[in-house]
Amino acid sequence: MQLRETQLSRLPARCHDVLVVGGGINGAAAAAALSGQGASVALIDKGDFAGSTSMHSSNLVWGGIKYMESGDFGLVRKLCRSRNHLIQSYPSSVQEIRFLTTIHRGFRHHPLVPWAGSWLYWLMGNAFTRRPYYMRPATLKAREPIIDTSSAVGGFEYSDAYLHDNDARFVFNFVRGALDFGAAAVNYVEYLSSRREAGIWVTRARDIVTDETFEIRSRVLINAAGPWVDDLNQRAEQRTEHHHVFSKGIHLIVPRLTEQRRVLAFFADDGRLFFVIPMGPRTCIGTTDTRVESPSVTVTEEDVAFVLDNINKRLALPRPLGKQDIIATRCGVRPLAIKPAGEGERDFLNLSRKHAIDLDRERSHLSIFGGKLTDCLNVGEEVVEAVRGLGIELPDAGRRWYGEPDATVRDAFLREAGEMGLDARTAAHASEPISHRLWRRYGDQAFDLLATIRRDPHQAEVLIEGTEYLRVELTQAREREMVTRLEDLLRRRSKISLVVSEASIARSAGLAEACEALFGDAARERLDEYLETLAAGPA
């Protein structure tokens, strides 16, 4: 907790160039980009970083092939280029993956039509990925035996990308980057209100942990609150061109359905793309697309029934998946940016995830609407240009603010890990060697983890059964990751609670060990808080 306390004390200590409200992907990228260019930045979030929409994604980094049908070719082109850039910048985290798409009898197009679309999609992405292939039902079945091809009329395979790790972890690494560039970033700090005084924004905030209130001063205010952007703008008396409508999406995490490392894509009963996505030792299936009026959503019986019904219709499993197979759920809203006139009348299912930045130059206020993980680098760069246009000096303009360390550093790490025989300690159930995982999650900080393991080999052991999280990672989490509540570690800094059932986590000896390492004297309190949350069930 020392990191959080240090950062918290910095928030009211000076007038910052920029205050970013919201630590999802938009806010995290904006904070990293601005601080990387030399601006003094403060970042707050009323919950944990990536605690809302950004932790409920499909873990896909894709160019938006579904937008081809609605004719959003400019958006598709932009997203494909963003996808390619992320693959190049984060080769350990963002990786190309094949999508095997099955077309069933009764679909609105002959399978050759979407296959031709996949070729155009490939070309719009500069032919950066492996090229598409058309397949007859027999070839589909041979390629992936669990697909039920009894009503299939054909299909095709194409490439996009996905996050090898957790989406929330990817977002946090932008926050960690902002901290390394000198930003003051704190979770569990609630925005209350803002006012303008002599050309300065004075924002009143509350520390949710202690219930203390204080003020943060900044020259520019950025509203990156995701689904709550409109609410915060009302409190700041800020009028904008765009606003949000909400789409609820859920995913179910179930035992691994296939050993093949590819995404299976279908068209669900509502016409929407439906995915079976690899997630290490598990499989993620979904999603739904339900219009809702509020960003506060939960998984309903109808949601679960929809996903299970669609997956059981399309896969030839030894037995149908049921509620008893569900290990975890993901449920959140997609904030979709629209204008009051025109786009509001567009078919809801065809609304895109494009982002929009509304800028009030007179009051030095930015609002970020919509967006998705794929577009995060564009958001960061556009925010930098907007803030520069407001007169904020950026002394380190042009400095790279994203991406993995240089390949030579990676090779040095893997070489050192190899000399230690680290990968021989990899658990039998693990989805990848320890060295690859530590590098992907921690970059050049992983050298410190090697040194710790060298001193104490016990630190290379798995902390909680059925996961890949090691004891050595607790030190990193305590010192550098601002873990404030146990769920921050289990759900967002790692994906422990996505791959292991709540009951298994609760009875794991490693859970108490994690609390002791992270919270010290407050360990019992934090453990009881988490267990009470499990007992209460979904909010």
Side-chain angles (χ1 to χ4, degrees), residues 69 107-108 266-274 306 314 349:
E69 190 171 12
F107 183 62
R108 56 185 177 271
F266 307 92
F267 288 90
D269 291 345
D270 63 359
R272 176 184 172 81
L273 274 169
F274 189 89
F306 175 86
R314 289 158 178 82
L349 290 178

Side-chain angles (χ1 to χ4, degrees), residues 334-367:
R334 308 170 187 91
L336 306 172
I338 65 169
K339 295 181 180 180
E343 287 181 310
E345 299 176 0
R346 185 175 174 180
D347 180 7
F348 177 73
L349 290 178
N350 284 327
L351 287 176
S352 74
R353 297 288 302 280
K354 68 181 180 182
H355 74 267
I357 298 177
D358 284 2
L359 174 62
D360 183 340
R361 293 185 180 277
E362 183 179 350
R363 305 184 78 203
S364 295
H365 186 284
L366 282 77
S367 300

Side-chain angles (χ1 to χ4, degrees), residues 513-529:
E513 182 179 338
C515 284
E516 289 290 341
L518 294 170
F519 307 121
D521 293 341
R524 186 72 247 179
E525 178 185 352
R526 290 287 173 259
L527 179 58
D528 289 344
E529 174 186 71

Side-chain angles (χ1 to χ4, degrees), residues 322-336:
K323 293 173 62 176
Q324 71 279 2
D325 297 304
I326 300 172
I327 297 167
T329 62
R330 315 179 88 164
C331 176
V333 296
R334 308 170 187 91
L336 306 172

Side-chain angles (χ1 to χ4, degrees), residues 101-158:
T101 306
T102 304
I103 305 297
H104 289 274
R105 191 176 301 114
F107 183 62
R108 56 185 177 271
H109 298 297
H110 187 279
L112 289 175
V113 174
W115 172 67
S118 71
W119 271 89
L120 179 57
Y121 183 66
W122 179 67
L123 292 171
M124 292 178 74
N126 294 339
F128 181 83
T129 59
R130 294 163 58 192
R131 65 180 183 177
Y133 291 96
Y134 179 78
M135 296 182 187
R136 298 184 182 277
T139 307
L140 284 168
K141 188 70 173 178
R143 187 69 59 91
E144 182 49 79
I146 69 166
I147 298 176
D148 183 354
T149 56
S150 59
S151 64
V153 292
F156 56 97
E157 188 176 61
Y158 70 100

Side-chain angles (χ1 to χ4, degrees), residues 152 187 195 217-218 285 288 387 467 473 495 525:
N187 54 5
R195 65 183 187 275
R217 299 170 64 83
S218 64
I285 55 177
T288 58
V387 169
T467 74
E473 296 178 77
K495 56 183 180 185
E525 178 185 352

Side-chain angles (χ1 to χ4, degrees), residues 8 53 70 94 113 121 164 173 183 187 220 222 331 381 391 417 428 433 442 451 479 484:
L8 189 64
T53 296
S70 56
V94 183
V113 174
Y121 183 66
H164 191 87
N173 282 342
N187 54 5
V220 176
I222 296 180
C331 176
E381 297 289 0
Y442 304 107
E479 297 178 357
T484 305

